[in-house]
């Protein structure tokens, strides 16, 4: 486990242990922590594959700037996993090509 | 949604402005795209040696929680998870992810903070490679480590701080290395330059950890020279700091499994491939720059100020900009630490109240006091991200004066 | 140095070599690089790679990185869902 143990870190935790899925597999996480943190704590680093090259990608900036961590959450595409709090029963999917929110106008 | 002041960014700058304005009875809406208020305060935990004993601990997370609690108590609204994608000077801001599409406001404060400069290495898109700031947030805020065995590339105050924090949290930090030499790393790939920068900012840096680094490199030229000649790493809290070795490639298929290092000559050239180091995470650090996208899109001119971290929006001493009713505060005006951002936020609050005619006649001195407080925060600041910030601030003030004289825009303050 | 393989723009996977080539082909501004290579045109809108692109421009043209104009940021500065503006 990559979670930090110890009392002083405990207060940084958001809450109860909950269950969510990523690409159909079931994982445990803490309610309210970012989806990306829950996945990293489970050892999951690849969040999507690049639309063009198919190369694996994971968190890079951690604070919403780079959009590398975008996933589809409960059917909504283009969600940044580093910014989005985890909820019980969330269905998280790797972004598939064609579902990407475009910023070109 | 309609209010008096829309504030973009719930970091220390935005929150302290909100606190002042809400207490003055103005309507305030604070918007932040992160899911929690506090901005970069949340990752910060250090001791300020410049403060009297007993007041030294800087617990960013606690400060952020108190500040945002106070802001709400004072009557301001904080909307998190909401991105601002355009400022309409004079009429408000456009948002995405919120309860509506526009916040109509008489004044706008841009407190969007800073972002990290990228430091690319071959293989940096492999999962497990992340910015130093990302590692800081995951470890200090979310309580999840970036990996078990971590390599840092890029030697600067942020990467050294993060390396120390990770080690304390139980990570094996294999070493802090130079970035790969080349045009992208530029001078930050040169051993001599890195030592110079470190010794100039480290005596001001937070915590014993960086102070030790400062002592290490702040010595005589002969010592620095000796350090340069030596291929043996410096040792900080058991973390090897390699001034003559660079990470030149990250390897791994689905995720990081190793990095390749090389020996670097005094003038920053690859001498020889060195070795392959096993690691499951790599943190890259290239320094910080002001996040000016919103303010630039609103037509505010940017000025190049290396001492402040790059391009900064032209602004006046009361944090006003060339767009009427648009104000700035915090790291967006130049990279400095959180105490400066708090003081600037307060100043922006007073300045906006004055702009809206809500300061009250006898209260002009509040503006002067707020300006003084920014200066004081700067002096007491434990962390200098870029040597040369003071000179850059002066230059910026002179540019503003010149603009005011050359234009009809002198209707401020 | 295997410059050619080094990705500068992560979003659009544009390499250092491609950016250097764009400069040789006449690009002298960030906007010029954008048009030729798509660097800075992905989801992050240049927040990660724009400072890198400027460094390449500066290096290849012999100017100071800071004297290269920042590609004017355009609204929206964040990707938005279509439904949010219509
Ligand atoms: C990775 C990193 C690490 C740092 N570490 C330290 C440290 O250890 N010690 C230290 O003193 N300083 C550190 N700093 C410097 C930091 O900038 C200041 O300490 C301080 O937090 C600046 O306050 P601020 O309010 O200006 O900006 P921030 O605290 O950065 O807050 C800005 C807020 O604006 C939000 N925002 C930006 N754009 C938008 C938009 N378009 N729409 C909605 N919201 C938006 C962001 O989500 C963020 O919450 C660090 C900065 C970074 C980037
Ligand atoms: S990791 Fe960069 S946006 Fe989420």
């Amino acid at each position: 486990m990559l979670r930090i143990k110890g009392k002083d870190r405990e207060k940084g935790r958001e809450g109860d242990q909950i269950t969510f899925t990523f690409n159909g597999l079931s994982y445990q996480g803490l309610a309210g922590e970012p989806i990306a943190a829950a996945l990293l704590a489970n050892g999951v680093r690849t969040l999507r594959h690049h639309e063009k090259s198919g190369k694996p990608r994971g968190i890079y900036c951690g604070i919403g700037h780079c959009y590398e961590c975008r996933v589809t959450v409960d059917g909504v595409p283009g969600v940044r996993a580093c910014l989005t709090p985890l909820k019980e029963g969330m269905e998280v999917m790797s972004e598939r090509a064609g579902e990407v929110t475009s910023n070109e106008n | 949604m309609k209010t008096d002041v829309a504030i973009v960014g719930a970091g220390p700058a935005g929150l302290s402005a909100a606190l002042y304005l809400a207490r003055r009875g103005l309507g305030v809406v604070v918007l932040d795209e992160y899911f929690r208020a506090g901005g970069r305060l949340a990752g910060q935990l250090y001791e300020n040696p410049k403060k009297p004993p007993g007041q030294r601990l800087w617990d960013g997370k606690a400060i952020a929680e108190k500040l945002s609690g106070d802001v709400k108590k004072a009557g301001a609204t904080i909307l998190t998870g909401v991105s601002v994608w355009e400022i309409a000077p004079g009429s408000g801001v456009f948002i995405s992810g919120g309860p509506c599409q526009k916040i109509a406001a008489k004044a706008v404060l841009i407190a969007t903070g800073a972002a990290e400069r990228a430091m690319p290495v071959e293989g940096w898109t492999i999962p497990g490679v992340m910015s130093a700031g990302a590692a800081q947030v995951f470890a200090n805020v979310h309580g999840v480590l970036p990996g078990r065995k971590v390599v840092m590339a890029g030697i600067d105050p942020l990467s050294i701080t993060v390396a120390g924090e990770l080690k304390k949290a139980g990570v094996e930090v294999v070493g802090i290395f130079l970035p790969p030499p080349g045009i992208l790393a530029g001078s930050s790939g040169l051993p001599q330059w890195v030592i110079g920068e470190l010794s100039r900012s480290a005596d001001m840096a937070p915590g014993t950890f960086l102070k030790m680094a400062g002592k290490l490199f702040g010595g005589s030229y002969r010592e620095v020279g000796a350090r340069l000649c030596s291929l043996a790493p410096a040792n900080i809290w058991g973390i090897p700091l390699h001034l003559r070795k660079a990470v030149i490639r990250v390897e791994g298929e689905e995720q990081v499994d190793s990095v390749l290092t090389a020996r670097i000559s005094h003038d920053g050239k690859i001498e020889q491939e060195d070795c392959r180091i096993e690691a499951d995470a790599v943190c890259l650090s290239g320094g910080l720059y002001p996040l000016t996208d919103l303010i630039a899109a609103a037509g505010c001119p940017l000025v190049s100020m290396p001492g402040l971290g790059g391009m900064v929006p032209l602004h006046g001493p009361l944090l006003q900009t060339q767009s009427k009713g648009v104000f700035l505060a915090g790291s967006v005006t130049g990279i400095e630490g959180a105490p400066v951002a708090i003081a600037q936020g307060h100043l922006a609050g007073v300045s906006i109240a004055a702009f809206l005619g809500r300061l009250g006649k006898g209260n002009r001195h509040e503006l002067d006091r707020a300006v003084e407080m920014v200066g004081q925060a700067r002096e007491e600041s434990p962390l200098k991200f870029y040597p040369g910030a003071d000179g850059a601030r002066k230059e910026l003030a002179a540019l503003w004066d010149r603009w005011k004289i050359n234009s009809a825009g002198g209707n401020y303050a | 140095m295997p410059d050619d393989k080094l990705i500068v723009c992560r979003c659009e996977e544009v390499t250092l070599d491609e950016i250097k080539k764009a400069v040789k082909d006449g690009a002298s501004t960030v906007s010029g690089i954008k048009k030729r290579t798509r660097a800075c045109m992905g989801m992050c809108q240049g927040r990660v790679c724009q400072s890198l692109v400027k460094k390449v421009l500066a290096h290849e043209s012999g100017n100071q990185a800071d004297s290269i104009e920042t590609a004017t940021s355009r609204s929206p500065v964040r990707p938005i869902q279509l439904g949010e503006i219509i």
Side-chain angles (χ1 to χ4, degrees):
Chain A
M1 279 292 270
L2 291 169
R3 274 197 205 281
I4 299 175
K5 297 190 186 80
K7 276 219 170 80
D8 56 329
R9 303 280 170 179
E10 208 69 37
K11 64 177 195 265
R13 307 279 181 76
E14 305 282 339
D16 304 341
Q17 193 103 22
I18 53 120
T19 304
F20 68 104
T21 67
F22 178 61
N23 290 339
L25 296 176
S26 181
Y27 295 95
Q28 302 280 303
L30 301 177
E33 71 180 339
I35 295 170
L39 285 169
L40 182 59
N42 281 287
V44 176
R45 292 169 185 278
T46 300
L47 300 178
R48 53 179 258 276
H49 287 82
H50 190 266
E51 297 65 37
K52 200 169 75 181
S53 67
K55 292 264 168 63
R57 294 294 176 93
I59 49 168
Y60 169 69
C61 75
I63 52 162
H65 292 173
C66 73
Y67 286 79
E68 286 284 19
C69 64
R70 56 188 193 264
V71 288
T72 298
V73 176
D74 294 334
V76 180
V79 173
R80 285 167 284 177
C82 70
L83 293 186
T84 309
L86 188 67
K87 292 197 190 89
E88 170 69 45
M90 250 182 181
E91 285 179 22
V92 184
M93 301 284 289
S94 279
E95 194 109 288
R96 271 174 283 142
E99 277 183 346
V100 187
T101 331
S102 171
N103 62 34
E104 288 160 51
N105 18 36
Chain B
M1 212 172 183
K2 228 172 145 177
T3 187
D4 292 319
V5 187
I7 297 181
V8 190
L15 288 178
S16 65
L19 186 60
Y20 175 84
L21 289 164
R23 283 185 174 162
R24 274 230 155 256
L26 284 111
V28 178
V29 178
V30 187
L31 306 145
D32 201 299
E33 61 187 336
Y34 203 57
F35 64 92
R36 192 195 285 146
R40 307 307 307 207
L41 264 178
Q44 302 174 11
L45 185 65
Y46 60 79
E47 293 212 349
N48 184 353
K50 290 191 168 184
K51 287 272 190 187
Q55 299 172 27
R56 286 192 176 154
L57 184 70
W58 180 265
D59 179 350
K61 203 167 173 184
I63 295 168
E65 273 161 20
K66 167 139 193 353
L67 201 50
S68 50
D70 289 350
V71 166
K72 284 184 205 152
K73 257 186 252 149
T77 306
I78 303 180
L79 297 177
T80 52
V82 172
S83 300
V84 175
W85 54 269
E86 186 175 340
I87 318 167
S91 75
V93 296
F94 291 99
I95 61 174
S96 137
C100 53
Q101 286 156 19
K102 186 176 178 185
I103 309 280
K106 294 173 198 147
V108 175
L109 174 64
I110 307 298
T112 46
E116 288 186 271
R117 229 179 264 284
M119 182 53 78
V121 177
E122 205 188 316
W124 69 315
T125 58
I126 300 169
V129 183
M130 66 187 81
S131 72
Q136 189 184 41
V137 166
F138 276 87
N140 294 354
V141 183
H142 309 318
V144 182
L145 299 173
R148 289 190 182 80
K149 219 175 155 184
V150 177
V151 168
M152 315 282 304
I155 306 177
D156 57 45
L158 185 64
S159 70
I160 294 176
T161 307
V162 173
E165 289 169 351
L166 291 179
K167 174 151 182 165
K168 257 196 241 162
V171 172
E172 183 187 345
V173 183
V174 188
I176 311 173
F177 294 83
L178 289 166
I183 58 180
L184 297 178
S187 39
S188 55
L190 306 175
Q192 189 115 41
W193 187 86
V194 170
I195 290 177
E197 287 281 297
L198 269 191
S199 56
R200 275 191 290 163
S201 29
D203 65 309
M204 306 282 288
T208 340
F209 185 72
L210 267 181
K211 260 180 105 181
M212 278 171 75
K215 285 214 187 88
L216 207 49
F217 303 119
S220 69
Y221 277 113
R222 200 193 296 155
E223 282 170 63
V224 172
R227 180 59 66 195
L228 261 179
C229 291
S230 156
L231 281 173
N235 196 303
I236 301 177
W237 276 11
I239 301 173
L241 179 62
H242 294 276
L243 291 155
R244 291 283 308 280
K245 280 184 191 176
V247 168
I248 57 166
R249 189 161 72 226
V250 181
E251 297 175 337
E253 284 298 324
E254 277 295 308
Q255 63 179 59
V256 174
D257 54 43
S258 59
V259 303
L260 187 67
T261 63
R263 272 163 58 175
I264 301 300
S265 67
H266 296 203
D267 53 349
K269 301 227 161 55
I270 293 179
E271 281 179 343
Q272 186 189 327
E273 279 191 11
D274 185 52
C275 63
R276 186 165 271 108
I277 303 171
E278 245 180 70
D280 62 352
V282 178
C283 300
L284 305 175
S285 185
L288 304 172
Y289 71 94
L291 188 55
T292 57
D293 50 359
L294 259 184
I295 186 77
C300 181
L302 302 180
V303 201
S304 162
M305 291 285 159
L308 293 172
M311 303 292 283
V312 297
L314 184 59
H315 60 274
L318 302 179
L319 302 174
Q320 69 275 50
T321 68
Q322 289 186 5
S323 298
K324 224 176 157 181
V326 179
F327 295 77
L328 307 171
S331 287
V332 69
T333 72
I335 306 300
E336 292 181 276
V340 176
I342 290 179
Q344 280 186 317
H346 178 75
L347 169 58
V350 183
S351 190
I352 290 170
F355 170 77
L356 294 176
R358 295 287 290 272
L359 196 52
K361 267 204 184 117
N363 289 334
R364 295 294 291 186
H365 65 279
E366 273 198 42
L367 264 175
D368 301 328
R369 187 140 41 90
V371 172
E372 270 168 38
M373 278 159 66
V374 175
Q376 196 182 333
R378 221 160 248 155
E379 264 167 41
E380 286 178 358
S381 206
L383 182 57
K384 225 191 222 171
F385 284 98
Y386 294 94
D390 296 346
R393 290 273 175 209
K394 284 198 190 100
E395 222 178 297
L396 205 55
L399 278 175
W400 175 263
D401 287 342
R402 208 177 315 147
W403 171 75
K404 253 176 74 174
I405 292 165
N406 291 343
S407 70
N411 50 353
Y412 286 102
Chain C
M1 267 275 285
D3 271 359
D4 48 346
K5 276 188 281 175
L6 181 61
I7 288 175
V8 171
C9 169
R10 299 170 60 106
C11 299
E12 299 287 327
E13 295 202 332
V14 184
T15 63
L16 182 52
D17 235 28
E18 287 169 292
I19 292 172
K20 281 184 178 166
K21 187 169 173 296
V23 179
K24 284 208 185 74
D25 291 348
S28 60
T29 59
V30 176
S31 324
I33 300 280
K34 275 183 160 186
K35 277 185 206 119
R36 284 178 173 83
T37 66
R38 293 197 54 81
C40 301
M41 290 189 61
M43 288 295 284
C44 87
Q45 299 182 299
R47 281 210 270 185
V48 178
C49 71
Q50 182 164 299
S51 63
L52 302 171
V53 166
K54 279 163 74 182
K55 274 192 191 164
V56 183
L57 269 168
H59 185 266
E60 300 294 292
S61 62
N63 290 326
Q64 286 285 94
D66 285 320
S67 68
I68 310 284
E69 46 88 68
T70 308
T72 339
S73 299
R74 286 210 183 82
S75 292
V77 303
R78 296 289 181 281
I80 46 179
Q81 311 268 358
L82 254 189
E84 291 181 306
I85 36 172
I86 48 176

